[in-house]
């Protein structure tokens, strides 16, 4: 195991993301050593640290002289290439073993794809339910339906969320504090804050976090999974993604714990199904897409977007209240929930026309749960529609009114989500109509965009020019202050 600087610098990683990965590695090393297993481990501060996975592997092999290399499937195409090339250079056989922390394999996904013109998560998810028997009875979905979206996805209304049970914090222990110190020293210019670091970094901590979520937040997970509220980063979300991605938790045990809550009547079916869908459905589906379409996937840019990422994505300094909150929370905690990622930070970049590769690099850098197999299809495909519809059946575009409906952000914003043009027009709303105008010909082929385009058709030409010029002014301001990163 090697802590190498290159893994934290190939994108400009959030300090909390680096600490979480390295602390989990050190705790895992210590747990293995306690079991009497020999671990060859290179710490970041070691003067002999070669700085890259390739160099560390070369150096270790030169004195261990193994007969072959055995690895579990890595989470990134780039790392798989490094391992392949290094093994080839060393003249060693490389055996890649399936990653047991997933419920479907790359081959399963390829079989699912075979003969299909169009991929849809829903069909993949139903297959996964049938294959695994999760939430199934006598071959039929429990409750008689595959999803309960009609009961889920509500907003809090004006009264707000009230008191939401806080997730259990895991204050840094001595091992984590040592990592914090070395990360502060080595990556001092990297984005993010370490003052509030309280992520689970060991398997027992992750199990504790799972039990806490199931007991206290799962029952209302579905109802409020799309809602946002000022000063409430977690709401009813599990914050278990990083623990699963780091393999501190097996997704099977997470799914089993949710099913048990249903059996014991501790959580309603709509919440349990909504939660399990994210893991058995989306999580497995995006991994399938990643490995099936890489390496060309990362280059896709179906909407030909070219702008740089606004500099304020790295600081949170913007007058747009929703973005300011989502960005500052991200920099503070390395966390934002799905709708903040998709319908605030992602939506703005999409509407503005930011190059998808710049958006991808930002998402891979700033979230503690970011690993490329899950981050890339979510960013490039679901959020930016840059894969032209592999991941999502239509671009996730909306005006500021969506954010107004799902949060309290607009109530204290200097912009008005209902205004398309003029001094206090909401930039999301202006750019939403401009997006439809810019992409109208291409979107006409997509029947799921019919309603939005019908509304667009009502705009007369004078109104269209006003929208275009206001959107042009927003973009000019961005070009006048280009990103330094
Ligand atoms: C632009 C963008 C980038 C994203 N980048 C990442 C990333 O780097 N790493 C990551 O783990 N997730 C990513 N996601 C998916 C999702 O936003 C996070 O998994 C979730 O917000 C993590 O918080 P949570 O654990 O509280 O999730 P919850 O809301 O409690 O959901 C439960 C679990 O379901 C899984 N899940 C939910 N949605 C997705 C999804 N769309 N794809 C895959 N798994 C999902 C996660 O494992 C999560 O822990 C991204 C989404 C978007 C729109
Ligand atoms: S008015 Fe627009 S910019 Fe302001 S919070 Fe609402 S959606 Fe965001």
């Amino acid at each position: 195991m090697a802590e190498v600087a290159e893994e934290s610098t190939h994108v400009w990683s959030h300090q909390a993301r680096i600490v979480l990965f390295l602390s989990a590695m050190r705790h895992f090393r210590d747990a293995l050593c306690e079991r009497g297993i020999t671990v060859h481990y290179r710490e970041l501060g070691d003067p002999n640290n070669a700085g890259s996975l390739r160099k560390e592997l070369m150096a270790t092999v030169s004195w261990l002289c193994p007969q072959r290399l055995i690895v579990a499937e890595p989470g990134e195409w780039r790392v798989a290439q490094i391992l392949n090339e290094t093994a080839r250079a060393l003249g060693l056989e490389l055996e890649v073993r399936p990653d047991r922390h997933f419920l479907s394999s790359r081959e399963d996904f390829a079989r699912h794809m075979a003969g299909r013109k169009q991929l849809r998560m829903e069909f993949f998810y139903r297959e996964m339910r049938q294959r695994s028997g999760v939430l199934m009875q006598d071959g039929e979905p429990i409750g008689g339906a595959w999803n309960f979206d009609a009961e889920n996805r509500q907003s809090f209304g004006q009264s707000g969320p009230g008191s939401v049970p806080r997730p259990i914090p895991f204050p840094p222990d001595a091992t984590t504090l040592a990592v914090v110190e070395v990360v502060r020293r080595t990556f001092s210019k990297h984005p993010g804050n370490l003052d509030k670091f309280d992520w689970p970094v060991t398997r027992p901590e992750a199990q504790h976090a799972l039990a806490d979520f199931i007991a206290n937040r799962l029952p209302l997970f579905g109802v409020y999974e799309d809602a946002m509220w000022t000063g409430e980063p977690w709401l009813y979300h599990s914050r278990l993604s990083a623990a699963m991605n780091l393999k501190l938790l097996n997704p099977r045990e997470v799914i089993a714990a949710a099913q048990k809550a249903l059996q014991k009547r501790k959580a309603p079916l709509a919440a349990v199904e909504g939660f399990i869908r994210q893991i058995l459905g989306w999580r497995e589906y995006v991994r399938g897409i990643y490995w099936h379409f890489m390496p060309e996937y990362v280059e896709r840019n179906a909407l030909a977007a070219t702008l740089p990422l606004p500099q304020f994505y790295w600081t949170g300094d913007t007058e747009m209240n929703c973005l300011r909150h989502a960005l500052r929370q991200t920099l503070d905690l390395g966390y934002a929930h799905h709708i903040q990622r998709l319908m605030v930070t992602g939506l703005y970049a999409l509407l503005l026309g930011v190059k998808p590769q710049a958006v991808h690099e930002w998402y891979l850098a700033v979230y503690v749960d970011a690993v490329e197999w899950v981050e890339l299809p979510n960013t490039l495909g679901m959020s930016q529609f840059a894969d032209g519809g592999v991941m999502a059946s239509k671009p996730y575009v909306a005006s500021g009114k969506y954010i107004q409906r799902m949060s309290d952000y607009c109530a204290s914003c200097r912009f008005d989500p209902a205004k398309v043009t003029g001094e206090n027009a909401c930039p999301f709303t202006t750019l939403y109509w401009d997006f439809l105008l810019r992409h109208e010909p291409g979107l006409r082929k997509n029947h799921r965009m019919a309603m939005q385009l019908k509304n667009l058709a009502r705009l007369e030409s004078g109104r269209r020019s006003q929208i275009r010029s206001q959107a042009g002014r927003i973009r000019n301001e961005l070009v006048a202050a280009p990103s330094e990163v």
Side-chain angles (χ1 to χ4, degrees):
M1 295 175 76
E3 302 174 355
V4 292
E6 190 183 60
E7 292 304 303
S8 302
T9 54
H10 80 99
V11 289
W12 202 40
S13 281
H14 192 296
Q15 295 189 14
R17 177 175 182 253
I18 309 176
V19 169
L20 180 54
F21 275 64
L22 299 191
S23 173
M25 280 169 67
R26 287 189 187 187
H27 281 96
F28 183 56
R29 169 199 61 190
D30 296 344
L32 291 176
C33 291
E34 270 170 34
R35 285 164 52 193
I37 296 172
T38 305
V39 183
H40 298 283
Y41 195 97
R42 182 76 81 193
E43 292 199 352
L44 194 65
D46 184 333
N48 293 320
N49 193 314
S52 75
L53 283 179
R54 185 174 197 281
K55 288 183 187 159
E56 274 297 323
L57 185 56
M58 295 284 270
T60 311
V61 164
S62 73
W63 63 270
L64 271 178
C65 303
Q67 292 165 331
R68 59 188 170 137
L69 300 174
I70 304 174
V71 296
E73 286 167 324
E76 207 173 300
W77 194 87
R78 179 186 61 88
V79 175
Q81 290 312 106
I82 292 173
L83 291 171
N84 274 323
E85 283 160 16
T86 312
R88 212 174 304 128
L90 289 164
L92 281 174
E93 181 199 339
L94 178 70
E95 185 186 328
V96 182
R97 293 194 176 167
D99 187 335
R100 290 187 302 238
H101 280 81
F102 292 95
L103 289 98
S104 68
S105 66
R106 296 183 199 177
E107 293 72 31
D108 292 335
F109 192 79
R111 271 193 294 279
H112 172 81
M113 277 211 60
R116 274 174 209 269
K117 280 203 190 114
Q118 182 124 63
L119 277 170
R120 284 296 156 256
M121 200 292 286
E122 184 63 32
F123 299 120
F124 173 81
Y125 169 62
R126 291 180 190 182
E127 239 178 67
M128 290 296 289
R129 290 262 302 267
Q130 275 156 338
R131 255 185 41 210
S132 61
V134 169
L135 296 182
M136 299 293 290
Q137 201 164 32
D138 304 327
E140 295 297 322
I142 289 182
W146 293 103
N147 81 63
F148 300 88
D149 272 0
E151 293 167 48
N152 287 341
R153 307 182 157 194
Q154 296 172 27
S155 63
F156 290 114
Q158 281 186 350
S159 55
S163 107
V164 183
R166 298 267 154 193
I168 294 188
F170 298 94
D173 63 3
T175 305
T176 304
L177 286 174
V179 176
V180 165
E181 205 211 308
V182 76
V183 167
R184 280 207 166 114
R185 213 174 43 238
T186 317
F187 305 108
S188 59
K189 295 211 157 52
H190 279 229
N193 192 334
L194 287 175
D195 297 343
K196 296 183 185 153
F197 186 96
D198 66 357
W199 292 95
V201 290
T202 63
R203 182 157 163 73
E205 285 181 352
Q207 286 168 317
H208 195 175
L210 170 62
D212 167 58
F213 165 70
I214 298 285
N216 298 314
R217 300 191 306 285
L218 174 64
L220 288 178
F221 172 85
V223 182
Y224 296 121
E225 68 184 300
D226 285 4
M228 301 175 278
W229 204 261
T230 303
E232 294 285 352
W234 320 111
L235 292 166
Y236 291 93
H237 292 272
S238 68
R239 78 170 212 157
L240 294 173
S241 51
M244 274 187 276
N245 297 350
L246 286 166
K247 295 155 210 306
L248 302 176
L249 287 177
N250 190 311
R252 288 176 189 82
E253 69 186 312
V254 179
I255 291 169
Q259 286 201 103
K260 199 165 159 200
L262 177 69
Q263 282 153 8
K264 292 195 159 181
R265 297 175 194 273
K266 296 269 166 61
L269 178 57
V272 171
E273 188 285 318
F275 179 67
I276 287 179
R277 162 182 294 260
Q278 308 305 318
I279 297 169
L280 187 65
W282 282 111
R283 190 169 185 273
E284 297 286 329
Y285 182 69
V286 299
R287 179 172 180 261
I289 288 185
Y290 179 79
W291 286 108
H292 193 87
F293 291 100
M294 278 301 277
E296 56 85 22
Y297 193 79
V298 70
E299 301 301 333
R300 291 200 186 188
N301 190 354
L303 298 177
T306 54
L307 286 189
L309 189 76
Q311 171 66 20
F312 65 70
Y313 270 63
W314 299 102
T315 60
D317 294 339
T318 167
E319 283 186 300
M320 289 174 274
N321 204 31
C322 53
L323 267 170
R324 192 170 63 245
H325 280 288
L327 291 167
R328 290 198 175 155
Q329 175 195 312
T330 297
L331 294 165
D332 243 23
L333 305 169
Y335 178 88
H337 74 66
H338 189 67
I339 293 303
Q340 291 176 304
R341 296 187 207 197
L342 185 65
M343 298 308 286
V344 180
T345 46
L347 176 61
Y348 193 72
L350 170 66
L351 297 178
L352 199 58
V354 177
K355 196 171 179 205
Q357 287 69 30
V359 187
H360 151 57
E361 284 179 17
W362 183 79
Y363 276 97
L364 188 57
V366 297
Y367 290 107
V368 293
D369 58 23
V371 188
E372 201 176 79
W373 65 263
V374 51
E375 176 278 327
L376 183 68
N378 268 302
T379 304
L380 200 110
M382 187 190 282
S383 151
Q384 301 300 299
F385 204 67
D387 64 8
V390 173
M391 181 67 191
S393 55
K394 65 173 194 134
Y396 282 96
V397 286
S399 73
K401 283 187 181 172
Y402 171 84
I403 295 174
Q404 182 183 39
R405 194 167 66 247
M406 297 312 297
S407 75
D408 66 337
Y409 294 140
C410 301
S412 49
C413 183
R414 95 154 183 80
F415 300 109
D416 178 349
K419 281 190 82 177
V420 188
T421 56
E423 209 266 315
N424 62 343
C426 164
F428 279 83
T429 305
T430 311
L431 291 170
Y432 164 74
W433 289 105
D434 175 70
F435 178 92
L436 294 181
L437 286 171
R438 285 192 296 130
H439 297 291
E440 189 180 4
L443 295 177
R444 263 200 231 112
K445 292 176 227 142
N446 189 327
H447 72 277
R448 294 203 61 208
M449 294 300 293
M451 184 57 89
Q452 280 161 298
L453 293 183
K454 209 164 138 194
N455 291 334
L456 181 74
R458 294 203 190 102
L459 291 185
E460 39 88 17
S461 72
R463 193 74 184 119
R464 289 174 181 230
S465 330
Q466 285 170 350
I467 293 170
R468 284 203 176 99
S469 9
Q470 180 127 354
R473 282 195 294 278
I474 296 173
R475 291 199 181 88
N476 286 342
E477 279 169 29
L478 173 70
V479 175
S483 166
E484 288 156 18
V485 181

